[in-house]
Amino acid sequence: MNTSQTANGKSAAQLQDFEFLWFSELLGRPVNVGETGKRLEKLSDLVFHLTEPHPQAVGIYLEHGWGKPTEFVPWDKVVRIDRDKIVVKPPAGGDTYPPFVDQPEWVLLDQHLMGRTILDTDGRKVEVVNDVHLLFSKGRMIIVHVDVSFNGFMRKWGLGRIRWMKDRLIPWKFVQPFSVEDVTTTDVVTLSVKRDQALEMPGEDLADVLEMLSGDQQEAFFSALDSEKAAETLAHAEPRAKRQLVANLRRERAQTIMSELSVPQLSDLLSVLPLEEREKLLDLLPGDRALRLERILSEREVTTTELMSGDYVTFPKEITVGEAVLHIRNLHPESKAISYIYVVGEQNILIGVVDLRDLVLAEDHVSLDELMAPSVVSAEEDDTREDLIELFDKYHYRTIPVVDTEDHLLGVIHHSDIMHGLG
């Protein structure tokens, strides 16, 4: 969209050029009446009519809460879309637009698309809609893609200026069949996508789809994953699915997958298996890991050093935000390893912590020394699992570092491992 044109107040119908927009960035944008600046409400949703070949916007859905009726702004009342607001014409005959009334073949993007699990036509591959890509041109808005990338997830949290990877846009024409019934009766939408796209999704999403598949389909789906993704998926699977998947693994495949799992994740897996299966898998592990697991599974008191992970990211205090972000992109760490950035001094002594959200919102030239919180909540080497649970319950952190008596950083404890991984 040409900014000067919108600034001059031309109507949407008068614009001759076009603009691509993300729904996540429109969500929550103020909707103002005319040039007076009176705000109706923030945009709660966009309503589209399921026309071919692309659904077209029919209006803006506004929620007021507190028992007040909704409002529906017809799309022909939209004057323009600015970066900080959406300008609409005044309602006819009153101060508000009429309440929203659903119509056949209408779909609401936030309610019916965002966050939905989508399967391909054979029901075995999965994606999740993290964002919707829109084209605004000559007063019309249409859906052109769904975005299933991590970038889409970041935009939902207001972190769109940081591109962690290439967008993964699936053309709308592949979202077939799609109907109002699909999105109002189930969390699953059928999508015709290629296998390699499905297998790039986070493990927790892949674990969700395992729950919807039959035994044969489940086994076929799991066999298509590489060892790292299989381990990630297995860690998030329900106990019944864990037992079924492990029972069908070849020895070499099982050994490779288990090498990708942390000790708490392995403990969680082994704890749901029959004794015979558990012993078979323990025999596949290196001696030190097997001993740690036997100690945990025997329900004797275990310490932090037996549960901690090496999945974390550290930087010296002198490095800038821009340099840190570049390093993280090149490292491609697991998602749970980058909840926090730990700042260390000489001999790996922990001196501060930076929340990932603060990192990506800060200016590139700012040093970590300026950004970090110097007081770091940490666990000690001989803390027990019960001590760790108390720390997580008290501070609600996603990860807690482990240090020795001289504050050397030894590892980290992930919330998911302690609160869910040993249940």
Side-chain angles (χ1 to χ4, degrees), residues 122-137:
D122 65 13
R124 292 193 301 172
K125 311 177 187 74
V126 63
E127 297 283 1
V128 172
V129 177
N130 284 326
D131 211 343
V132 181
H133 199 212
L134 307 168
L135 174 61
F136 183 73
S137 176

Side-chain angles (χ1 to χ4, degrees), residues 272-287:
V272 302
L273 298 181
L275 180 59
E276 184 178 351
E277 290 293 329
R278 180 191 303 180
E279 291 177 348
K280 286 181 181 178
L281 292 184
L282 281 171
D283 287 341
L284 301 179
L285 295 170

Side-chain angles (χ1 to χ4, degrees), residues 47-49 58-62 69-74 97-108 111-112 180:
V47 187
F48 281 76
H49 185 205
V58 293
I60 297 173
Y61 175 80
L62 302 175
T70 62
E71 288 185 74
F72 177 70
V73 183
Y97 279 94
F100 172 74
V101 179
D102 199 9
Q103 302 293 325
E105 300 301 316
W106 280 14
V107 61
L108 283 74
Q111 291 188 31
H112 297 152
V180 176

Side-chain angles (χ1 to χ4, degrees), residues 79 91 103 194 300 417:
V79 176
Q103 302 293 325
K194 296 180 180 179
R300 289 180 290 168
D417 283 346

Side-chain angles (χ1 to χ4, degrees), residues 331-365:
L331 284 172
H332 299 295
E334 294 184 13
S335 58
K336 75 174 184 178
I338 55 171
S339 296
Y340 306 102
I341 306 302
Y342 295 105
V343 184
V344 295
E346 293 183 4
Q347 299 180 344
N348 209 41
I349 291 179
L350 181 63
I351 59 174
V353 62
V354 178
D355 191 290
L356 177 63
R357 185 182 179 90
D358 294 333
L359 182 78
V360 298
L361 291 176
E363 298 293 333
D364 286 348
H365 67 273

Side-chain angles (χ1 to χ4, degrees), residues 59-80:
I60 297 173
Y61 175 80
L62 302 175
E63 276 187 352
H64 296 283
W66 301 99
K68 295 182 180 179
T70 62
E71 288 185 74
F72 177 70
V73 183
W75 193 254
D76 60 9
K77 298 295 186 181
V78 175
V79 176
R80 68 178 188 269

